[in-house]
């Protein structure tokens, strides 16, 4: 069992739909990262959160430390949101354990 | 732009040549990380620096790879005698201590 698991692996939706991507982890953590990667591109850090909820524009991230679960939501999805979304948790003092990523495609 | 920058963005080289990549972190960040990502895979940790000290190296980092951060600011990653298997995206990230890591745009290396 991977230490960080994401679901779904692939998600295709229509423009405007509400999107949810889930992340479960098995290790004890102090915080969790959500990152975005466009095809052929670098990685953009979206959120780092250790409790509760964070919101940035149409993106919302929540985390439940007790249940070891986090979700990333996108409201009013748009084709430009199409990307791979990755959750990652700290391992030791410096490394990140990466989830496999969720490939999101938003169709116009 | 005050984010993490990397240079060059793309590098095409012939097998056996040496290449060097540069990363400029966010100025107040004391930690700098190098990752490698191959197509369809997640990033793999290579090494990290706290200020100028290289504190950890992955076993993925063979003897042909060397990284430096001489003044605790920018870092260079050199690959000697490149092989086709070195073709990948090389990502740099920086953070203040163990806080959120911010990534650069990456350097895409193609070894012919």
């Amino acid at each position: 069992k991977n230490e960080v698991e994401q679901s779904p692996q692939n998600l295709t939706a229509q423009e405007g739909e509400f999107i949810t991507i889930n992340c479960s982890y098995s290790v004890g953590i102090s915080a969790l990262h959500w990152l975005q990667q466009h095809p052929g591109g670098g990685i953009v850090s979206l959120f780092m959160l250790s409790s509760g909820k964070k919101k940035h524009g149409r993106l919302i991230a929540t985390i439940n430390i007790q249940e070891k679960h986090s979700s990333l939501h996108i409201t009013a999805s748009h084709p430009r949101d199409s990307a791979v979304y990755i959750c990652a948790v700290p391992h030791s003092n410096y490394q990140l354990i990466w989830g496999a990523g969720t490939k999101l495609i938003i169709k116009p | 732009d005050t984010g993490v920058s990397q240079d060059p963005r793309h590098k095409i080289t012939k097998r056996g040549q040496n290449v060097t990549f540069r990363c400029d972190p966010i100025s107040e960040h004391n930690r700098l990380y190098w990752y490698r990502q191959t197509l369809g895979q997640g990033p793999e940790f290579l090494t990290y620096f706290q200020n100028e000290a290289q504190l950890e190296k992955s076993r993925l980092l063979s003897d042909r790879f060397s990284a430096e951060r001489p003044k605790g600011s920018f870092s260079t990653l050199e690959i000697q005698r490149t092989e086709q298997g070195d073709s990948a995206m090389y990502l740099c990230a920086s953070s203040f201590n163990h806080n959120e890591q911010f990534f650069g745009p990456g350097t895409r290396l193609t070894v012919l």
Side-chain angles (χ1 to χ4, degrees):
Chain A
K1 183 173 163 57
N2 293 330
E3 292 170 299
V4 179
E5 292 198 338
Q6 285 186 238
S7 63
Q9 282 188 318
N10 296 282
L11 178 57
T12 300
Q14 290 297 130
E15 182 173 357
E17 285 189 40
F18 182 80
I19 303 300
T20 295
I21 299 170
N22 296 301
C23 177
S24 296
Y25 53 91
S26 58
V27 294
I29 66 168
S30 56
L32 179 143
H33 300 256
W34 280 104
L35 308 116
Q36 178 195 58
Q37 188 170 34
H38 285 277
I43 293 176
V44 175
S45 178
L46 299 175
F47 297 102
M48 178 176 170
L49 69 166
S50 54
S51 66
K53 180 167 79 172
K54 284 191 175 181
K55 185 174 188 292
H56 185 249
R58 295 181 294 105
L59 299 177
I60 303 167
T62 63
I63 189 168
N64 185 318
I65 294 289
Q66 287 75 30
E67 295 186 3
K68 296 187 175 180
H69 181 268
S70 176
S71 293
L72 177 69
H73 306 283
I74 306 175
T75 62
S77 59
H78 190 275
R80 65 175 175 266
D81 297 327
S82 299
V84 175
Y85 292 84
I86 308 167
C87 74
V89 300
H91 169 63
S92 70
N93 200 22
Y94 55 91
Q95 275 201 57
L96 292 175
I97 303 175
W98 302 79
T102 295
K103 185 175 181 181
L104 173 66
I105 298 173
I106 304 295
K107 293 185 174 179
Chain B
D1 187 350
T2 57
V4 179
S5 61
Q6 291 186 245
D7 182 69
R9 296 288 304 274
H10 303 273
K11 178 70 177 179
I12 299 174
T13 191
K14 291 182 179 178
R15 192 175 52 184
Q17 297 294 306
N18 299 344
V19 295
T20 300
F21 309 141
R22 177 179 169 125
C23 172
D24 286 87
I26 293 172
S27 58
E28 59 268 25
H29 285 181
N30 55 356
R31 289 193 178 186
L32 186 148
Y33 311 80
W34 284 100
Y35 295 88
R36 180 174 68 186
Q37 186 177 28
T38 52
L39 201 61
Q41 302 295 316
E44 300 169 300
F45 170 80
L46 292 178
T47 189
Y48 99 103
F49 293 83
Q50 172 115 354
N51 299 312
E52 67 275 6
Q54 187 175 18
L55 296 188
E56 190 70 28
K57 286 174 64 171
S58 163
R59 292 190 198 115
L60 293 172
L61 219 61
S62 76
D63 291 344
R64 297 184 297 105
F65 287 71
S66 62
E68 294 183 342
R69 195 184 183 198
K71 297 180 181 178
S73 56
F74 74 91
S75 175
T76 57
L77 177 69
E78 181 183 16
I79 309 174
Q80 295 182 325
R81 304 181 303 282
T82 52
E83 302 173 356
Q84 287 185 322
D86 298 332
S87 296
M89 175 78 88
Y90 290 84
L91 295 161
C92 174
S94 71
S95 70
F96 181 72
N97 293 332
H98 59 273
N99 294 315
E100 186 173 7
Q101 293 185 26
F102 292 86
F103 285 79
T107 294
R108 183 169 295 284
L109 172 66
T110 301
V111 182
L112 301 176

